[in-house]
Every structure is written in structure tokens, then in C-alpha cells.
Amino acid sequence: MANRAVFALCGLALATQFGCYSFLPLQSTPPKIAEEAGIVINDRGRLLLGDRVGSSVDRIDGKVISRQDGSIVMDVYRVTDLRGNSATWTGERVSIPEEAVLGYRARKFSKFKTLMLVGAITVAIMTTLARSLNIFGDPASLPTPEPPISS
């Protein structure tokens, strides 16, 4: 029973694997320099960026490095396609033309997700410790010592 609870709590922690952040709704104002954001790509952008990030890209997530010559330069950490599949990147720098952008989704710290993650991890640790240390064990189930052997 305790193992199932630990597995369930670990599953909850994995469900919040996107960490303690969430993306705001679609916005038209570009993100600030050094801000993490998601850039939603339009149909024209899929054609322009197809050779660099894939032909069915929907959103590019990363850190905005600069805005220059009608393009946004960002270090990419994730690309999501139209089917919802995502691929993790390791900070490759990509220049995205502004004409390829449908909108921006700013990344915001989420107190709720953070509290859920911390709570799930805390409960999982406490449950594991209670189970392994037998904190709530039944004293009647403890082994009784053998009486000394008399000769």
C-alpha cells in the first residue's frame, strides 16, 4: 500500500515536470531581451524555418538574446510541433524573422505548480522514510528476545 502511494506521488511530481513555470496567453508584444518566452510560429514561418527547426513547428521556446534587423535571436531549449510533440534542444542559437511570428507567450513563475511540486516531493520522502524506518509499526509485531539458556 505504501509503495503505491509513493509511486502515485512520484507520478504527480512527474506530471509537474515542466517545473514551476507556466506560459501566459498569446501576446502581440515581443518579449524583452534576456527573457524566456515561447514564440508561436505562423504558416509563413514554417516555410522560412523548416530547414532549421522542422517544417511542422508550432512554438519555439527559449531565451531571447537580441532583436536585430527584423529578427529575434534566441537560444532554443524546446521546439513543439503542430501535433504537440516536443523536442529538447541544448541552447542552439536561432534567428527567427518577425514575419514568421504569430505571437509570443511569456514564461511566468507559477506559485501553484511550485507548491504542488514541493508538497509531492515532501510527502514522497516522508512516506518513504516512514515505511523504511517503520515509524508507525506495531510494537506487538516486534520479535521477542529469547530467554537465556540455563545449564
Side-chain angles (χ1 to χ4, degrees):
M1 181 71 169
N3 286 341
R4 288 183 186 167
V6 171
F7 288 131
L9 291 173
C10 289
L12 178 63
L14 286 175
T16 59
Q17 69 179 330
F18 291 107
C20 305
Y21 293 90
S22 60
F23 284 98
L24 297 176
L26 197 62
Q27 302 171 358
S28 59
T29 56
K32 298 174 185 169
I33 304 300
E35 186 175 76
E36 291 191 17
I39 297 180
V40 180
I41 305 299
N42 61 24
D43 289 336
R44 173 125 174 92
R46 284 187 255 296
L47 290 173
L48 293 172
L49 298 170
D51 60 338
R52 289 179 269 171
V53 295
S55 60
S56 63
V57 66
D58 179 46
R59 188 176 79 212
I60 301 172
D61 300 330
K63 183 177 182 179
V64 177
I65 301 302
S66 67
R67 292 182 63 205
Q68 57 190 13
D69 301 328
S71 295
I72 297 173
V73 178
M74 71 186 317
D75 289 341
V76 178
Y77 63 82
R78 182 175 47 240
V79 173
T80 306
D81 68 13
L82 293 169
R83 293 179 300 269
N85 300 322
S86 63
T88 303
W89 287 37
T90 57
E92 290 87 355
R93 192 158 287 180
V94 175
S95 177
I96 303 167
E98 289 186 359
E99 65 183 305
V101 177
L102 179 65
Y104 306 94
R105 296 189 70 190
R107 191 172 166 203
K108 181 184 173 193
F109 180 75
S110 172
K111 290 180 183 178
F112 177 73
K113 282 186 178 181
T114 303
L115 288 174
M116 290 293 292
L117 182 62
V118 169
I121 291 171
T122 302
V123 170
I125 290 171
M126 295 304 290
T127 303
T128 303
L129 285 175
R131 175 87 172 143
S132 64
L133 297 176
N134 200 17
I135 293 174
F136 304 110
D138 182 18
S141 66
L142 295 175
T144 56
E146 295 285 325
I149 301 175
S150 36
S151 344

